[in-house]
């Protein structure tokens, strides 16, 4: 690759790339994001390449190994351009047929199209598929167009034109003002206005300053940053460079979790290619602007994603938060002004510079502009990454895009904002999702994880889970967070094991309020949110545990009871044979009985009881109904009545 | 003693950094790549290279989950214990792996093949429950799938051992 010495040369290079693609009639984008990759999408891509070569169509049909397409539940995915036909769960065996039918003869392969369960119709094109219909993939959309290991794809798709625009006609203040005007807020959790943060770093006097990409995405349930960084690394780098240009600095870091192996592989390749083209390094595109970027790997610590902790980790110190009497924007890495934003925030920057702040402001709500990528996971039918304008309702995301709850269960709550967020109940499903609205109902945006919970999820158990998680990940430096979580954990354990007291609920609230006020960093200040939000919206569930010693969701092991209905038991013996603790007694044609003392509540009996009998039930708690005496004969059923 | 080749690789790595300690994690990863874990000797040598005291390096090594200060198996099984995996029954699966291998969390199997560790969200929520073994991700886990994976890995270890 030849170094590009000016903006004009970049434009010429792009034109040349597009000219080379002139002969290409169709292209296939095969998702090689982590999700699809595990489902052998590489083999599918190989098969396409071989098939196309075999038919001598290399000059007309292009195969692209791209990043994540979002609809992870249905991978591996192949999208055909220009028609935007989407095939799902593609196997190497399907490839010859796709090439023959769709690529050569313009016919669809029906069985690989998305089946819309509601209408019973097959959907061929992206705009027909409910999962994509309501989305507006301005940030994520380029993932379809580019191979993350090929900078030429990014440039051909218009990449680095925002940088070129800034370097050729905008001053650093112009760029800063554009971002400020756009109203872009940090996508990592805090929602702080990015432009304001940039300005603080810009105005802080220092000989050196830094810009940082926070790719230590750790919020359980959120993986959009991974998909962006591994699928479109240049968009993040370009954003980072624009930030550096606006702030007036020439050095940057990407701090990435060790778990994101594909991102860690793709990122150095992207940096190297950008260097070769003169898009990174000294005098970028012949301008006065120079920029270097280094990659730092994490080593497994949730708290290191917090801004001050991350900066300590970059310095090679323990990744613990420090008090921020002086913001990291003023005193960060090696006490130099350091501006940190997360992956998605940086990826928005080139779009704003290119399309203008007015365009960005046209998307979203009054207080939250632009789009947001959510990872929709949990008990929802279609899991995946969803990019929608801010302000779309939770109902639209969960039910229209996500297809509602799996296995026809009932919706109970959606948990947003990661472990420090909250659980939002059904009555707020029409809430427009943005930074402010989510805070109003006691949750938060966080980095965009949306974990859907159904009626089988116990909210006290959920609160206990999050509290355990946070207690595990708390660095322990300040007392309110460390001890508060420990006490909460203890109380919740008592409640879920049937030893809770009414006063426990007040104690939890009191502890929560104290942690909020007195903790050192945001992790501690928000650590009580899971408990407080479930206490607010699902208090009846807490009360059922405390007062009746029952778990309405039938999830808490120590409370639930397995019971065999003597009217339904046929004495087949399946449950008796499979019970791991021999807690079930009975015989052929004799009603089976569960010995509650021996039962470990594993649920095996419920799983194995033949569905034509369905004699085993899981009760929320309390004493089991009195059992029949041992030796009672089963109720004889007449033919046809067995169901 | 670290092999000379690794030592010069580490020196090179450190030379490119602003301050040596900045490379502490990378240095420890490189050593672990070679010998699996950070023994006391490696800690002292690495600290020297990084111009840190062994205690300072110890502080880092014990803070992070992926720096091992005791021996680990050939395959380190990191089971995600975060929200979505938990919702999808991760606890039962972890118990299953435990009983299959006869080890608890944080322990290594007697044959030295497997270590079982719980880890924070690995961002594989669309295929929960999930785990990472060495650098590969496995999702939509079931007891049957786990049996298959463990058998495959044990076989692989056998194979590479006989080479």
């Amino acid at each position: 690759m030849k170094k590009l010495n000016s903006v004009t040369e970049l434009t010429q290079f792009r034109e040349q790339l597009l000219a080379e693609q002139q002969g290409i009639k169709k292209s296939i984008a095969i998702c090689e994001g982590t999700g699809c990759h595990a489902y052998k999408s590489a083999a599918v891509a190989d098969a396409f390449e071989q098939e196309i070569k075999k038919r001598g169509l290399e000059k007309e049909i292009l195969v692209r190994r791209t990043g994540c397409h979002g609809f992870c539940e249905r991978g591996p995915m192949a999208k055909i351009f220009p028609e935007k036909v989407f095939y799902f769960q593609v196997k190497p065996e399907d490839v010859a047929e796709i090439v023959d039918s769709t690529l050569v003869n313009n016919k669809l392969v029906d069985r690989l199209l998305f089946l819309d369960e509601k209408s019973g119709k097959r959907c061929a094109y992206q705009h027909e598929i409910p999962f994509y219909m309501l989305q507006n993939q301005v940030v994520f959309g380029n993932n379809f167009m580019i191979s993350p290991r090929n900078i030429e794809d990014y440039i051909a798709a218009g990449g680095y034109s925002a940088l070129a625009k800034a370097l050729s006609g905008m001053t650093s203040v112009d760029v800063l003002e554009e971002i400020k005007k756009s109203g872009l807020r940090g996508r990592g959790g805090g929602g702080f206005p990015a432009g304001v943060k940039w300005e603080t770093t810009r105005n802080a006097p220092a000989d050196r300053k830094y810009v940082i990409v926070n790719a230590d995405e750790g919020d359980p349930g959120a993986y959009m940053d991974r998909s962006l960084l591994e699928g479109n690394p240049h968009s993040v780098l370009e954003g980072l460079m624009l930030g550096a240009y606006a702030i007036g600095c020439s050095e940057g870091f990407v701090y990435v979790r060790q778990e994101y192996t594909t991102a860690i592989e793709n990122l150095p390749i992207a940096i190297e290619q950008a260097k070769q083209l003169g898009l990174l390094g000294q005098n970028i595109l012949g301008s006065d602007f120079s920029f270097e970027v280094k990659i730092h790997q994490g080593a497994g610590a949730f708290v290191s994603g917090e801004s001050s902790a991350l900066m300590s980790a970059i310095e090679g110190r323990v990744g613990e938060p420090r008090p921020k009497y002086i913001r990291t924007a003023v005193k960060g890495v090696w006490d130099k002004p350091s501006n940190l934003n997360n992956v998605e925030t940086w990826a928005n920057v080139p779009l704003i510079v290119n399309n203008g702040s007015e365009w960005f402001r046209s998307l979203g709500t009054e207080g939250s502009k632009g789009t947001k990528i959510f990872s929709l996971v949990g008990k929802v039918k279609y899991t995946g990454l969803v990019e929608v304008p801010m302000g779309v309702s939770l109902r639209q995301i969960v039910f229209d895009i996500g297809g509602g709850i799996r296995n026809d269960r009932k919706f109970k709550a959606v948990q947003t904002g990661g472990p420090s967020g909250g659980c939002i109940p059904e009555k707020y499903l029409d809430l427009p999702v943005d930074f402010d609205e989510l805070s109003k109902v006691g949750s938060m945006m966080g980095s965009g994880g949306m974990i859907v919970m159904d009626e089988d999820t116990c909210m006290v158990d959920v609160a206990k889970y999050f509290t355990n998680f946070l207690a595990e990940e708390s660095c322990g430096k300040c007392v309110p967070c460390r001890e508060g979580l420990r006490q909460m954990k203890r109380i919740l354990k008592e409640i879920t094991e049937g030893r809770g007291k009414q006063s426990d609920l007040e104690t939890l609230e009191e502890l929560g309020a104290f942690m909020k006020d007195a903790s050192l960093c945001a992790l501690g200040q928000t650590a009580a949110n899971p408990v407080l939000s479930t206490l607010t919206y699902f208090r009846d569930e807490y009360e059922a545990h405390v007062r009746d010693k029952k778990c309405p969701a039938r999830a808490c092991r120590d409370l639930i009871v397995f019971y065999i209905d003597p009217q339904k038991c046929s004495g087949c013996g399946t449950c008796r044979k499979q019970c791991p603790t021999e807690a079930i007694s009975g015989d052929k044609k004799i009603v089976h009985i569960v010995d509650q003392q021996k039962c470990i509540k594993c649920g095996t009996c419920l799983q194995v009881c033949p569905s034509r009998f369905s004699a085993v039930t899981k009760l929320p708690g309390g004493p089991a109904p009195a059992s029949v005496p041992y030796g009672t004969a089963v109720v004889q059923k007449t033919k046809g009545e067995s169901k | 003693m670290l092999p000379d080749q690794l030592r010069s690789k580490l020196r090179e790595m450190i030379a490119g950094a602003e301050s040596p300690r900045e490379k502490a994690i990378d240095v420890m990863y490189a050593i672990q790549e070679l010998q699996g874990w950070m023994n006391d000797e490696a800690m002292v040598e690495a600290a020297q290279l990084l111009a840190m005291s062994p205690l300072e390096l110890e502080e880092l090594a014990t803070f992070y989950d992926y720096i091992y200060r005791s021996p680990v198996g050939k395959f380190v099984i990191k089971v995600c214990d975060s929200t979505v995996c938990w919702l999808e029954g991760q606890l039962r699966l972890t118990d299953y792996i435990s009983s299959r291998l006869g080890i608890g969390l944080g322990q290594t199997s007697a044959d030295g093949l497997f270590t079982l560790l719980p880890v924070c969200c690995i961002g594989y929520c669309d295929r929960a429950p999930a785990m990472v073994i060495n650098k590969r991700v496995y999702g939509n886990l079931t007891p049957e799938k786990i049996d298959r994976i463990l058998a495959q890995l044990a076989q692989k270890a056998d194979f590479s051992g006989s080479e």
Side-chain angles (χ1 to χ4, degrees):
Chain A
M1 274 186 280
K2 202 173 125 263
K3 195 175 167 186
L4 305 169
N5 292 311
S6 66
V7 169
T8 323
E9 280 185 33
L10 174 68
T11 316
Q12 283 165 351
F13 184 53
R14 182 175 300 116
E15 279 161 6
Q16 180 199 328
L17 291 171
L18 291 171
E20 283 166 15
Q21 288 178 11
Q22 278 289 310
I24 305 280
K25 292 194 182 113
K26 284 182 198 277
S27 68
I28 315 154
I30 294 149
C31 173
E32 278 204 0
T34 305
C36 286
H37 186 76
Y39 280 69
K40 314 265 184 321
S41 63
V44 175
D46 290 346
F48 267 111
E49 276 167 2
Q50 279 160 18
E51 187 66 29
I52 285 161
K53 202 171 165 200
K54 203 168 91 190
R55 291 166 186 258
L57 297 169
E58 302 106 303
K59 294 231 161 64
E60 292 167 36
I61 304 173
L62 186 73
V63 179
R64 264 200 193 101
R65 296 163 189 258
T66 71
C68 180
H69 294 186
F71 201 170
C72 309
E73 207 258 340
R74 292 296 167 104
M77 268 175 280
K79 185 177 175 185
I80 293 165
F81 289 95
E83 296 88 349
K84 295 192 180 172
V85 171
F86 247 125
Y87 288 127
F88 296 92
Q89 291 168 327
V90 180
K91 294 189 185 64
E93 304 89 90
D94 301 321
V95 165
E97 191 183 349
I98 297 177
V99 174
D100 194 62
S101 305
T102 317
L103 293 168
V104 178
N105 293 312
N106 284 319
K107 272 192 253 157
L108 297 169
V109 182
D110 261 8
R111 67 188 157 82
L112 298 173
L113 297 174
F114 178 79
L115 175 69
D116 183 10
E117 284 172 26
K118 272 186 202 147
S119 65
K121 271 195 208 142
R122 294 271 177 188
C123 311
Y125 306 99
Q126 187 172 350
H127 65 267
E128 295 178 343
I129 301 169
F131 182 82
Y132 287 109
M133 224 151 49
L134 282 166
Q135 293 197 49
N136 187 3
Q137 298 178 304
V138 296
V139 179
F140 206 60
N142 262 345
N143 268 23
F144 297 108
M145 311 291 293
I146 60 170
S147 157
R149 297 186 175 202
N150 187 353
I151 193 172
E152 294 182 356
D153 278 355
Y154 183 67
I155 291 175
Y160 288 109
S161 56
L163 181 70
K165 183 178 173 184
L167 293 181
S168 60
M170 293 170 86
T171 64
S172 56
V173 177
D174 291 343
V175 176
L176 177 72
E177 286 304 319
E178 202 62 35
I179 298 300
K180 271 171 71 184
K181 267 192 282 177
S182 75
L184 174 69
R185 294 171 69 171
R187 263 75 173 138
F192 193 78
V196 176
K197 201 167 168 182
W198 289 17
E199 196 170 35
T200 311
T201 305
R202 182 186 156 93
N203 291 342
D207 52 343
R208 291 170 85 171
K209 295 174 186 182
Y210 302 99
V211 281
I212 303 165
V213 180
N214 184 351
D216 196 38
E217 181 180 50
D219 275 5
Y223 64 101
M224 64 290 289
D225 285 355
R226 184 199 77 204
S227 291
L228 265 177
L229 197 61
E230 68 184 29
N232 195 353
H234 287 290
S235 67
V236 182
L237 290 175
E238 189 181 0
L240 186 69
M241 283 189 242
L242 287 162
Y245 179 72
I247 288 166
C249 79
S250 56
E251 285 166 276
F253 296 102
V254 182
Y255 187 88
V256 54
R257 319 177 58 188
Q258 195 247 8
E259 293 89 332
Y260 287 0
T261 44
T262 310
I264 290 176
E265 277 166 32
N266 288 353
L267 199 54
I269 298 174
I271 291 174
E272 189 47 43
Q273 291 180 346
K275 269 187 193 159
Q276 282 177 18
L277 282 177
L279 291 162
L280 265 176
Q282 294 297 310
N283 302 96
I284 293 167
L285 295 175
S287 71
D288 293 337
F289 176 60
S290 302
F291 187 69
E292 303 275 357
V293 62
K294 284 186 201 164
I295 303 169
H296 264 265
Q297 270 191 65
F302 175 74
V303 74
S304 296
E306 194 272 343
S307 64
S308 67
L310 187 146
M311 293 185 195
S312 295
I314 286 179
E315 294 172 5
R317 294 174 200 284
V318 170
E320 280 177 346
R322 50 192 183 207
K324 284 180 278 190
Y325 308 118
I326 303 172
R327 299 236 144 238
T328 50
V330 177
K331 231 175 169 184
V333 180
W334 293 297
D335 288 343
K336 305 287 179 195
S338 306
N339 179 86
L340 172 137
N341 289 113
N342 87 326
V343 172
E344 191 184 343
T345 316
W346 287 120
N348 268 286
V349 171
L351 297 168
I352 298 169
V353 171
N354 252 338
N355 301 319
S357 54
E358 274 313 306
W359 163 81
F360 192 75
R361 292 186 68 82
S362 72
L363 298 163
T365 62
E366 187 50 42
S368 309
K369 298 297 178 195
T371 63
K372 176 79 191 81
I373 307 176
F374 294 100
S375 66
L376 188 59
V377 290
K379 301 293 186 184
V380 74
K381 208 176 264 173
Y382 308 129
T383 54
L385 295 178
V386 170
E387 182 179 354
V388 287
M390 299 269 193
V392 163
S393 76
L394 276 171
R395 191 184 299 280
Q396 281 172 302
I397 297 176
V398 175
F399 287 88
D400 298 340
I401 297 176
I405 308 297
R406 240 187 287 154
N407 305 326
D408 294 320
R409 308 301 291 172
K410 246 185 91 201
F411 173 90
K412 184 181 271 182
V414 54
Q415 204 277 345
T416 69
S420 319
C423 295
I424 303 169
E426 195 174 5
K427 68 172 174 185
Y428 291 123
L429 268 179
D430 291 309
L431 190 84
V433 179
D434 72 6
F435 288 104
D436 311 314
E437 295 294 323
L438 288 176
S439 305
K440 274 187 211 158
V441 295
S443 186
M444 57 188 214
M445 178 78 90
S447 53
M450 270 193 187
I451 304 170
V452 180
M453 296 167 179
D454 67 5
E455 55 186 319
D456 296 334
T457 316
C458 166
M459 300 316 283
V460 186
D461 202 23
V462 165
K464 182 175 83 170
Y465 167 79
F466 279 115
T467 308
N468 277 336
F469 176 91
L470 290 160
E472 189 83 12
E473 298 299 340
S474 165
C475 74
K477 192 168 175 175
C478 72
V479 178
C481 173
R482 184 183 68 224
E483 289 306 313
L485 284 167
R486 220 163 63 119
Q487 294 307 321
M488 281 189 159
K489 206 172 123 172
R490 184 186 57 77
I491 296 170
L492 291 166
K493 187 170 184 288
E494 297 278 301
I495 296 177
T496 53
E497 291 177 2
R499 295 185 302 274
K501 309 184 289 290
Q502 190 62 38
S503 62
D504 284 345
L505 308 189
E506 283 90 66
T507 313
L508 285 175
E509 280 168 332
E510 205 180 309
L511 269 174
F514 176 68
M515 287 159 68
K516 216 174 218 173
D517 286 343
S519 295
L520 191 61
C521 81
L523 187 123
Q525 285 152 15
T526 54
N529 276 358
V531 172
L532 295 178
S533 77
T534 48
L535 260 174
T536 309
Y537 300 127
F538 302 95
R539 205 177 184 94
D540 51 334
E541 282 193 42
Y542 278 87
E543 306 229 319
H545 282 73
V546 171
R547 196 183 50 228
D548 312 327
K549 312 295 177 212
K550 283 186 179 170
C551 172
R554 298 171 169 86
C556 293
R557 250 191 196 201
D558 292 284
L559 299 177
I560 53 168
V561 170
F562 286 91
Y563 171 69
I564 301 174
D565 186 342
Q567 297 297 314
K568 288 182 178 169
C569 177
S570 74
C572 71
T574 312
C575 61
R576 175 168 44 89
K577 285 174 210 148
Q578 301 215 28
C579 175
T581 56
E582 298 177 354
I584 299 174
S585 54
D587 213 331
K588 218 171 183 183
K589 301 288 170 199
I590 298 293
V591 169
H592 283 50
I593 300 165
V594 182
D595 180 345
Q596 299 298 340
Q597 298 302 314
K598 282 190 192 165
C599 175
I600 54 162
K601 325 272 175 84
C602 67
T604 306
C605 49
L606 180 65
Q607 266 168 27
V608 300
C609 181
S611 60
R612 58 185 188 280
F613 307 132
S614 301
V616 182
T617 46
K618 186 158 68 167
L619 303 172
S627 51
V628 292
Y630 182 77
T632 306
V634 299
V635 177
Q636 289 299 322
K637 291 177 189 81
T638 50
K639 251 193 177 163
E641 205 199 4
S642 61
K643 273 186 184 171
Chain B
M1 276 279 278
L2 296 175
D4 289 342
Q5 205 185 348
L6 177 66
R7 190 194 306 272
S8 54
K9 186 182 144 194
L10 296 178
R11 282 225 173 86
E12 209 176 297
M13 220 152 100
I14 294 164
E18 193 94 354
S19 66
R21 67 180 302 154
E22 195 191 316
K23 289 284 171 196
I25 298 296
D26 292 350
V27 163
M28 290 193 279
Y29 274 154
I31 296 173
Q32 286 192 164
E33 188 109 330
L34 192 79
Q35 60 179 48
W37 63 293
M38 293 295 295
N39 58 10
D40 292 348
E41 208 182 29
M43 287 293 291
V44 173
E45 282 192 61
Q48 234 164 28
L49 288 170
L50 291 160
M52 294 165 80
S53 74
L55 189 66
E56 283 175 308
L57 192 64
E58 187 75 46
E59 207 186 356
L60 285 182
T62 52
F63 180 77
Y64 292 108
D65 291 353
Y66 301 152
I67 305 295
Y68 311 128
R69 281 292 277 122
S70 49
V72 288
K74 194 173 165 77
F75 302 107
V76 179
I77 305 175
K78 297 172 186 164
V79 282
C80 172
D81 64 359
S82 290
T83 329
V84 187
C85 287
W86 172 78
L87 270 180
E88 302 291 344
Q90 162 270 332
L91 287 175
R92 233 175 315 139
L93 285 170
T94 310
D95 286 348
Y96 184 77
I97 302 176
S98 263
S99 67
R100 269 294 318 264
L101 299 174
I103 51 172
L105 291 173
Q107 296 177 339
T108 300
S109 59
D111 57 7
L113 278 187
F114 298 102
T115 298
L116 184 61
L117 293 179
V119 296
C120 181
C121 187
I122 49 176
Y124 204 54
C125 317
D126 52 308
R127 302 271 153 126
M131 63 182 179
V132 182
I133 302 181
N134 293 5
K135 282 184 178 172
R136 215 183 132 183
V137 192
Y138 300 88
N140 285 346
L141 296 174
T142 58
E144 298 75 41
K145 206 164 166 183
I146 286 170
D147 283 345
R148 238 177 13 243
I149 295 164
L150 294 181
Q152 269 169 12
L153 292 175
Q155 205 188 359
K156 208 163 121 191
D158 245 16
F159 183 68
S160 56
S162 66
E163 266 179 334

